Amino acid sequence: MSTTKIKTTQLWGKNKDDLKKQLVDLKTELAQLRTQKVAGGANSKLTKIHDLRKSVARVLTVINATQRSQLRIFYKNKKYLPLDLRPKKTRAMRRRLTKHEASIISEKQKKRQMHFPQRKYAVKAEA
């Protein structure tokens, strides 16, 4: 049974199987402490329960972060990214035209610019 807080730096070096095993251990220990609390255990169990809950969260965070980083590597040169790996931004920004789409000029517009260019006026500036 682990009674000390788990440091996240220790977790980053572990592989997925070790993390899953540690998660199961932490959850069983948490369940035991909760039953002891209901049975009328000491108030010192409350801080241990708090620490265990936070440790479970840390382990899950490391598991999810490593999984997401592996997915990012997998989808690196693919045409499409899963929605949860795409940049969030705002809804309006996601629907905005890309730089390439915005710079495209239609044939009709090209002809119009060629045949009717912007007029240049020679206006004397007053000082």
Side-chain angles (χ1 to χ4, degrees):
M1 300 275 175
S2 64
T3 54
T4 59
K5 291 181 186 177
I6 293 176
K7 300 276 194 290
T8 315
T9 50
Q10 299 167 348
L11 297 175
W12 286 114
K14 294 185 177 183
N15 63 1
K16 192 174 180 180
D17 296 330
D18 292 341
L19 289 170
K20 292 271 188 185
K21 184 173 180 268
Q22 189 166 12
L23 185 64
V24 170
D25 293 342
L26 288 169
K27 284 187 175 183
T28 54
E29 188 177 351
L30 184 60
Q32 288 173 355
L33 280 175
R34 282 184 172 150
T35 54
Q36 288 175 5
K37 184 183 121 183
V38 169
N43 285 340
S44 62
K45 301 263 191 275
L46 291 174
T47 55
K48 286 183 183 177
I49 288 174
H50 176 268
D51 292 344
L52 274 173
R53 286 178 59 237
K54 300 304 171 189
S55 297
V56 167
R58 285 186 189 100
V59 172
L60 284 172
T61 301
V62 170
I63 289 172
N64 289 332
T66 52
Q67 190 174 18
R68 284 176 67 85
S69 66
Q70 292 297 319
L71 282 171
R72 282 192 193 281
I73 292 167
F74 177 75
Y75 283 105
K76 184 146 181 102
N77 296 320
K78 302 274 194 283
K79 186 174 182 183
Y80 297 111
L81 261 179
L83 293 177
D84 59 332
L85 295 181
R86 294 178 193 174
K88 178 83 168 110
K89 298 183 180 176
T90 61
R91 192 167 190 267
M93 287 174 75
R94 291 193 303 267
R95 278 151 182 74
R96 192 180 291 160
L97 291 176
T98 63
K99 288 181 181 177
H100 175 70
E101 290 168 342
S103 67
I104 292 175
I105 301 172
S106 67
E107 280 297 317
K108 188 173 183 177
Q109 190 65 29
K110 285 179 190 172
K111 286 179 185 175
R112 188 177 286 161
Q113 286 175 352
M114 187 173 64
H115 294 299
F116 304 102
Q118 181 76 43
R119 292 185 178 179
K120 298 177 184 79
Y121 295 100
V123 179
K124 182 181 175 186
E126 294 185 35

